[in-house]
Amino acid sequence: AVVSTQSTGVTNPSTLMSALTSNEGNAQYLFSSETTNFITQLITAKKFSHILCVGTPRIHEMFSGGKKPKTMLLDLDDRFLQFYPPTIFQHYNMSANFFFEEDGEKYLRMFLKKSKRVALIFDPPFGALARVIGNSIDKLKAQVKEINPDAEIVVYWIFPYFLSKHISEVQPDLKMCHYMVEYENHPVFKRGNSTKSPVRLHTDQPLSEITLPDDNYKHCDKCNAGVPKEVLHCTKCKCCPPINRPTKHCVKCERCVRDHYFHCDLCEGCRPSLHHCKSPSLCHRCQQPGHKRRYCPLVTGNTQNGTVDSIPEDKKSDGKSYFTLSTEEEKKNLRKERKRKNKEAKKPAKKIKQAE
C-alpha cells in the first residue's frame, strides 16, 4: 500500500527512492552533490522569486521548504506524489508539455502568480529531440508572460555539448557554459571516472556572470567566460572548444576535434585512426544515402543533395507532421483513459467461488 508522507516533512525524497535507471524506460540520473551545489549557488546569486524545476528533483529539494525563492517540480516520476502536495509538484512529460492531471496547469498558474524573476531548469533525457524540448520551454515561458508580462525569465538547459547545435536551432539565445555536469548514479558521467562528462549547462544568462570553480577551470579573456584548464582558445572557431581534451582545428569539418582524430573522406568527418567506415553515409533523419541531416528534404525541402523520391512514403512531408506533438483532443482522451485504468485498479477483486 502507498502511504502518503506529505505531512512528515521529508525534504529529500530522491535519496529515499531507488532511481529508475533503465535506459530502455525511464532513465533517472540524479545530479552529484558538486553539481547540485554549483547550480544552487548559481540560482541563489540571481535572486529569483520562482524556480521551475523540470526533471531536476535535486535542485527542487535544495529550495523546497523555504519561503524564498518558491520552487515547483515538474517530473515524469509520479512517486513524488507521495511526498509533495500538488501546489509544488505535478506529474509532467516535458517532451510533450503534458500534465497528467487535469488541474495541473491550474496549479502551475497558481504557483506563477506574483512571479517577477523566474528560473526554468530543464534536464531532459539525452535522446530527447531538441525541437520538442524547445517547444515545451517556449510554452512554459509563454505561460509566465501571460501571468506577468514584465517577468524576467532565465533558462538553464542541461544537455551534452555535442548536441549544442540542435539547441541553437530551437533556442538561439542559449549559450553553452563549460561547466561539466556530473551525476551521482550514472555509470560513466560521474566524478572520479576516467571519462569526463560531456554534459553542459546551456543558458541565456550572460556567461561572464557565471564563475566556475577554480580547481578545474580558468578564465578565458577572449571568450570572457570560464573554461576547463585543458582547453585552448581556437582563433578559427573564435571560441574555446567544448571538448575538455587537447584539440586541433579541422578545416573540412569547420570545427575543433580531438588531436588524435583525422579527417575521413568516406565518413565525411573526423574519426579515430582505427574505425569502421560508413559506406555509404546515411542521413540521420530519414536513413537514406546521398545527403546529410542538414540537407534532408524532410525538413528543408532541399533536393540538391538528395531527392524527395528516395524518402519512404510515410516520411514524405515538410518535417513538421513527422514530429508533431499530441493534439489537445489526444491529450484529453489520454487523461480519460488514465482515469479509467486508475478506477479499475481500485476496484476490489471479485471472489470466485470454488465449485464444491
Side-chain angles (χ1 to χ4, degrees):
V2 176
V3 180
S4 176
T5 57
Q6 293 178 7
S7 60
T8 63
V10 176
T11 56
N12 298 308
S14 67
T15 61
L16 303 177
M17 301 185 299
S18 299
L20 306 174
T21 55
S22 172
N23 288 325
E24 292 77 13
N26 298 327
Q28 186 181 52
Y29 299 114
L30 304 170
F31 293 144
S32 66
S33 58
E34 293 81 6
T35 296
T36 301
N37 291 334
F38 173 78
I39 297 177
T40 301
Q41 293 173 7
L42 188 65
I43 297 299
T44 304
K46 290 291 290 183
K47 297 181 180 180
F48 290 104
S49 62
H50 293 69
I51 305 173
L52 203 55
C53 301
V54 187
T56 56
R58 284 285 167 89
I59 305 302
H60 174 73
E61 292 169 357
M62 294 296 289
F63 293 98
S64 62
K67 293 183 179 180
K68 288 184 179 180
K70 293 184 177 180
T71 177
M72 185 176 193
L73 175 63
L74 305 180
D75 201 280
L76 191 61
D77 190 351
D78 59 355
R79 293 180 298 174
F80 286 110
L81 290 168
Q82 305 173 48
F83 302 92
Y84 297 125
T87 53
I88 60 174
F89 171 76
Q90 281 298 317
H91 191 197
Y92 174 79
N93 186 331
M94 72 175 79
S95 295
N97 188 41
F98 175 68
F99 290 87
F100 287 88
E101 304 299 334
E102 288 187 18
D103 52 2
E105 290 191 24
K106 182 190 75 173
Y107 280 109
L108 177 62
R109 290 178 177 274
M110 290 171 56
F111 168 77
L112 293 173
K113 191 176 181 180
K114 297 182 180 181
S115 58
K116 296 180 180 179
R117 305 186 73 184
V118 183
L120 301 182
I121 310 175
F122 275 73
D123 186 20
F126 300 155
L129 289 170
R131 180 180 301 181
V132 296
I133 301 300
N135 180 75
S136 297
I137 291 176
D138 286 336
K139 289 187 176 181
L140 289 177
K141 289 170 67 175
Q143 285 186 295
V144 175
K145 288 294 185 180
E146 183 180 345
I147 296 172
N148 185 2
D150 298 326
E152 178 186 351
I153 306 173
V154 179
V155 177
Y156 300 93
W157 183 346
I158 295 149
F159 226 38
Y161 70 76
F162 47 80
L163 297 175
S164 295
K165 62 180 181 180
H166 301 302
I167 294 180
S168 300
E169 293 173 359
V170 295
Q171 296 286 331
D173 294 334
L174 301 187
K175 306 300 179 184
M176 190 197 73
C177 171
H178 281 265
Y179 181 79
M180 289 178 282
V181 176
E182 296 174 328
Y183 295 89
E184 180 183 273
N185 59 325
H186 196 281
V188 180
F189 307 148
K190 58 184 178 180
R191 182 171 288 273
N193 201 318
S194 58
T195 303
K196 294 186 178 181
S197 173
V199 187
R200 300 292 186 268
L201 193 68
H202 301 77
T203 178
D204 49 5
Q205 178 180 346
L207 299 182
S208 57
E209 297 180 358
I210 302 176
T211 303
L212 303 185
D214 295 333
D215 52 348
N216 295 318
Y217 301 90
K218 64 181 181 180
H219 184 80
C220 177
D221 295 332
K222 295 180 179 178
C223 293
N224 194 20
V227 298
K229 290 183 177 180
E230 304 89 348
V231 171
L232 295 177
H233 188 87
C234 179
T235 56
K236 295 181 179 178
C237 294
K238 296 181 179 180
C239 67
C240 289
I243 306 173
N244 52 330
R245 294 180 182 181
T247 59
K248 64 181 179 182
H249 186 85
C250 177
V251 179
K252 294 182 179 180
C253 291
E254 298 181 348
R255 62 186 179 91
C256 288
V257 298
R258 296 183 183 182
D259 61 350
H260 65 280
Y261 279 24
F262 77 100
H263 191 85
C264 177
D265 293 328
L266 184 60
C267 293
E268 299 179 352
C270 286
R271 301 289 186 271
S273 56
L274 298 176
H275 72 282
H276 297 285
C277 291
K278 301 176 182 178
S279 180
S281 298
L282 299 179
C283 170
H284 290 170
R285 188 178 294 278
C286 67
Q287 296 299 312
Q288 298 299 306
H291 63 271
K292 286 188 173 183
R293 178 191 179 98
R294 70 177 69 177
Y295 303 115
C296 183
L298 279 178
V299 179
T300 64
N302 190 311
T303 57
Q304 184 177 356
N305 296 313
T307 61
V308 177
D309 293 335
S310 65
I311 301 173
E313 289 291 332
D314 61 335
K315 296 182 181 179
K316 283 186 180 180
S317 67
D318 59 354
K320 295 181 180 179
S321 60
Y322 185 53
F323 296 107
T324 300
L325 300 178
S326 300
T327 63
E328 291 301 323
E329 185 64 26
E330 289 173 337
K331 292 179 181 180
K332 186 177 179 180
N333 293 335
L334 182 59
R335 290 193 183 102
K336 287 182 179 179
E337 180 66 15
R338 184 169 177 269
K339 274 190 173 181
R340 185 187 65 80
K341 289 183 178 180
N342 289 341
K343 190 175 181 180
E344 290 181 354
K346 292 179 181 179
K347 290 181 179 179
K350 294 181 180 180
K351 294 182 180 180
I352 303 175
K353 295 183 179 180
Q354 295 182 350
E356 295 181 357

